[in-house]
Amino acid sequence: DPWGSIWVGAHEKGISRIDPKNANRVTNFPPRFGGVRRADDHPPNPRDFFSDRPDHMWVASLDGMRSCTLPALRCLRDTVSPALANDLGVHAIAADAQGRLWAGADNSVLRYDNGRWEHVAGWPLGGIQVRSFINTPDGALWIATGGGGIVRYKDGHFTQVSARDGL
């Protein structure tokens, strides 16, 4: 994040922030268990973090996507985007070379457009989990998957590279 903090997610333990500028002080943000879960609860199973501006961070989690204010980490789970209704397990988040936000879910790729997460048309690997993203200098976005090889996105098209291509 902009303050140099390190964010860590732990299975069913929530989020921890490590502050290297303050003797590696650890602040924990545990999830709430029992009772009715609220949209503003901290995620129980955070997977990835992305700060897109100084006062804001996205948290990808096994129960969806959170929009969080910094530095207090006040989070709100996205309950508006229809794409997240069936893709609750979000494993990765990143921005492409144009600054657009992308998220990798259990069975699709999502992009944040006009204030909501939308499925990206043409994703070739339904049912395959997206694990991470990386940008290359040519403007392509490469997407690592859990079992489907890697996928290149450039100029509005996905191209899969798998074991049959020599990967």
Side-chain angles (χ1 to χ4, degrees):
D1 70 15
W3 296 279
S5 297
I6 300 165
W7 295 89
V8 179
H11 182 70
E12 296 188 358
K13 300 293 184 189
I15 298 171
S16 296
R17 179 179 63 204
I18 302 167
D19 183 358
K21 295 179 182 175
N22 191 7
N24 289 327
R25 179 176 165 218
V26 176
T27 305
N28 294 308
F29 301 91
R32 188 172 72 119
F33 290 104
V36 177
R37 292 205 32 91
R38 301 182 327 230
D40 63 344
D41 286 343
H42 293 115
N45 299 300
R47 306 290 288 180
D48 202 6
F49 306 89
F50 184 80
S51 182
D52 59 345
R53 55 186 193 266
D55 64 343
H56 186 262
M57 181 169 64
W58 293 94
V59 179
S61 178
L62 292 185
D63 69 344
M65 185 65 73
R66 301 261 189 329
S67 173
C68 305
T69 58
L70 294 174
L73 196 68
R74 288 190 176 88
C75 298
L76 186 62
R77 185 166 45 93
D78 185 320
T79 58
V80 176
S81 300
L84 290 172
N86 293 324
D87 288 326
L88 292 180
V90 182
H91 303 274
I93 182 168
D96 64 16
Q98 292 78 36
R100 296 176 298 188
L101 293 175
W102 293 74
D106 282 333
N107 59 11
S108 68
V109 171
L110 310 171
R111 190 170 51 217
Y112 193 69
D113 288 320
N114 301 316
R116 61 178 18 177
W117 292 97
E118 303 283 348
H119 291 280
V120 180
W123 175 245
L125 300 173
I128 301 290
Q129 186 183 96
V130 173
R131 299 272 177 94
S132 64
F133 299 92
I134 190 164
N135 292 295
T136 54
D138 67 351
L141 180 68
W142 287 87
I143 305 163
T145 70
I150 56 176
V151 178
R152 181 178 187 256
Y153 183 82
K154 175 122 181 180
D155 300 327
H157 300 285
F158 290 104
T159 305
Q160 181 185 10
V161 180
S162 67
R164 64 178 182 267
D165 300 304
L167 182 62

